[in-house]
Amino acid sequence: MDAALTKSPLTAFDKFKIADFKGFALLKLNKYKEAQEYYEQALASGLYTPQEAAEKERTLFRLAASSQQYAKAIEFGKQASETPSFTADDTAVMAQLYYLQKDCKDSAIWGDKAMAAERKAGEAPHENLYQFKLQCASDAGDTPTLKTNLVELIRLTNKVQYWNNLLRIERQDEREDHNLLMIYRIMYNTNSMVAGSDYIEMAQLLGDAALPAEAAAVLDKANQGGLIKDEQKERTGRLLASFKTRADADKKGLPQLDAEGQKNPAGELDVKLGEVYYGAGDYQNAVTAINRGIQKGKIKHLDEAYVYLGLSQTQLKNTADAKKAFDQLKTVPDISPRVLKLWSLYSEKLGTPLVGGVQG
């Protein structure tokens, strides 16, 4: 082609073909910047057929993107996107290019297009498309959009880090101890609680709810994970000793509490019995007691009854029954909407392995 350029006279078509062939050869030699230059020359001639022009625009789109010429890549991408050869992956690259240009609005538009194309093809959306939206929402301080995208990322990946981020946001907005403990239970059961202070607070809330065995188990896990700081160890040790003493007393009183629960026409004692059984690791008796209590009715916190029933069934590997229990939370009239949404998401992902961990 270099030799051909020395021949004269050269027609416009000759120059077009030389530029096109040189672009092709340089692309095969992995000389992308030079290939882009000659393809641009060939495209500017206007001598490609419409189909050929569309193919070259897509090629130039990819070449410009790979060489970090974001603005130029976007222009080629917009032209190439009108053709059938433009793929879902190409659309996802457009979302990334706009994101790198700090154009969150257009990044979201192209991200939605890419996800729609991936779903249409029967594929799961790419995780990074949600991450672009997540970062944009975080930068803008848009908490509702941030939470929406974290929920979608959990649905897509079930990664612990996304559970951690979502639950920390929800916890910050919660002021009622009953609901706060509900959120901590999800953090605990998704392995997304990484701060020793969170374990301590959860244990104290459990202790206040007369569930010392479960409180002791929470602190034991924090100790085993090395999450308790030196300045927290003395206080944590005292709490743990107190909870274990109370838990031993509860365990000794289980037969009497069981007998009282069976005689009582209201279900409150049975549910409390089930919660104590759960803390003691006796999940089958927990299921039996809580189901008995639910059938009787007159339960102060029906949401807790269904949560502990679901958690007990989960421990017994009865995933379908656990989901049924969590689904019943929708029937509780005074349940917190935030708590209901979080437990519904937890139930939705039951049976799907958690992925990864989070940094403390």
Side-chain angles (χ1 to χ4, degrees), residues 296-311:
K296 291 179 183 178
K298 296 182 180 179
I299 298 166
K300 184 178 179 181
H301 292 297
L302 190 56
D303 53 347
E304 289 193 342
Y306 286 126
V307 162
Y308 275 101
L309 180 59
L311 290 175

Side-chain angles (χ1 to χ4, degrees), residues 126-132 134-135 146-170 186-187 190-192 342 345 354-359:
H126 283 81
E127 183 179 351
N128 65 339
L129 294 173
Y130 287 109
Q131 289 174 334
F132 299 151
L134 197 68
Q135 189 59 56
L146 189 64
K147 290 195 288 188
T148 297
N149 281 283
L150 283 168
V151 168
E152 291 305 316
L153 280 164
I154 289 168
R155 286 189 171 126
L156 181 67
T157 68
N158 208 29
K159 285 187 176 179
V160 171
Q161 71 185 77
Y162 299 133
W163 275 111
N164 176 269
N165 293 341
L166 175 64
L167 293 168
R168 282 185 176 279
I169 293 170
E170 296 290 12
I186 301 173
M187 290 185 80
T190 55
N191 295 325
S192 59
L342 291 172
L345 181 61
L354 287 161
V355 178
V358 292
Q359 297 298 316

Side-chain angles (χ1 to χ4, degrees), residues 20 25-26 33 95 100 123 158 199 247 301 331 352 358:
D20 180 60
L26 287 163
K33 189 174 181 180
L100 293 169
E123 301 171 359
N158 208 29
Y199 283 89
H301 292 297
T331 68
T352 305
V358 292

Side-chain angles (χ1 to χ4, degrees), residues 166-179:
L166 175 64
L167 293 168
R168 282 185 176 279
I169 293 170
E170 296 290 12
R171 185 193 62 181
Q172 288 172 356
D173 294 336
E174 186 54 64
R175 296 291 178 266
E176 188 177 326
D177 284 352
H178 173 78
N179 294 330

Side-chain angles (χ1 to χ4, degrees), residues 11-21 42 45 47-48 52:
T11 67
F13 184 79
D14 292 334
K15 293 176 182 178
F16 156 67
K17 293 305 293 184
I18 289 170
D20 180 60
F21 280 130
S45 73
L47 293 174
Y48 283 123
E52 289 171 338

